[in-house]
Structures are given as C-alpha cells and as structure tokens.
Amino acid sequence: MNGRRVRRRLEFAPGEAHLPRDFGQRLTGIKRRAGLTWEEMAEALGVDDRQLLRWRRGSCPSGGSMLSLIRLAAQLPGGLNELLGHDPCASRRDERSR
C-alpha cells in the first residue's frame, strides 16, 4: 500500500434509513421471541406501554428508544433480522471473515 488511508463507503447515508413497512408486526415478533408481555417489554425499553401501541400502529421510535429496542433485539437469536429485516452486523462479520 502507498500509505494512503482508504475510506470505507458507508452502507447507509444519514437520513436514508427507514423502518420496514411491517414494523408493528416485527415488534410483536420481538416481544414473542423475548417471552415478554407488552408491559414487560415497555419496562425493559424504558417506555410507556402506550408508546409501544403507537409504534405498532405506525409511529416511529425516537433515537434513544430505537437504540434500546435494537439492544433488546440484538440479545435475541435472529432478533435484529426480525426487527429490521436484516442483521446489520452480519455484513461486518462476513467482511472480517474474508
């Protein structure tokens, strides 16, 4: 190499991330995988259980709430795929294994 640092291209540009259309169903899947009631899930995420209902009906979680939701999903086998439709960590693992 010539000493230049190669810039990695971001997979997602800021502002282009969108939740899957069936996010409410995916949220229900995460709840089932975790074996939680809606109240328990709300408590685990640090939100009101009415907020979970709003998310199931199409409202988007805020940044902090989404981070908590992703952290919960990441603890479950296949949870990120269930929640987002893909596992964003899988492509990084694949790159490292090459």
Side-chain angles (χ1 to χ4, degrees):
M1 234 171 151
N2 61 7
R4 283 185 168 179
R5 195 176 167 143
V6 177
R7 268 206 156 135
R8 288 185 59 197
R9 187 170 189 190
L10 295 177
E11 187 173 334
F12 298 103
E16 290 184 14
H18 298 283
L19 294 177
R21 291 186 189 272
D22 61 346
F23 183 71
Q25 294 170 353
R26 292 173 179 277
L27 197 58
T28 300
I30 291 296
K31 179 189 86 69
R32 286 187 189 133
R33 275 181 196 261
L36 300 171
T37 65
W38 286 113
E39 293 81 15
E40 292 167 336
M41 187 165 167
E43 186 176 330
L45 297 172
V47 300
D48 189 277
D49 57 336
R50 292 173 294 187
Q51 187 62 45
L52 287 177
L53 180 60
R54 287 190 284 273
W55 294 349
R56 289 168 41 212
R57 292 181 175 167
S59 181
C60 292
S62 68
S65 296
M66 190 65 190
L67 181 59
S68 294
L69 187 52
I70 288 171
R71 285 181 175 154
L72 173 65
Q75 294 177 45
L76 305 170
L80 288 174
N81 189 45
E82 174 87 36
L83 183 65
L84 302 173
H86 70 288
D87 183 342
C89 299
S91 61
R92 286 211 163 86
R93 283 192 298 262
D94 292 344
E95 287 174 9
R96 285 192 297 247
S97 65
R98 288 183 202 171

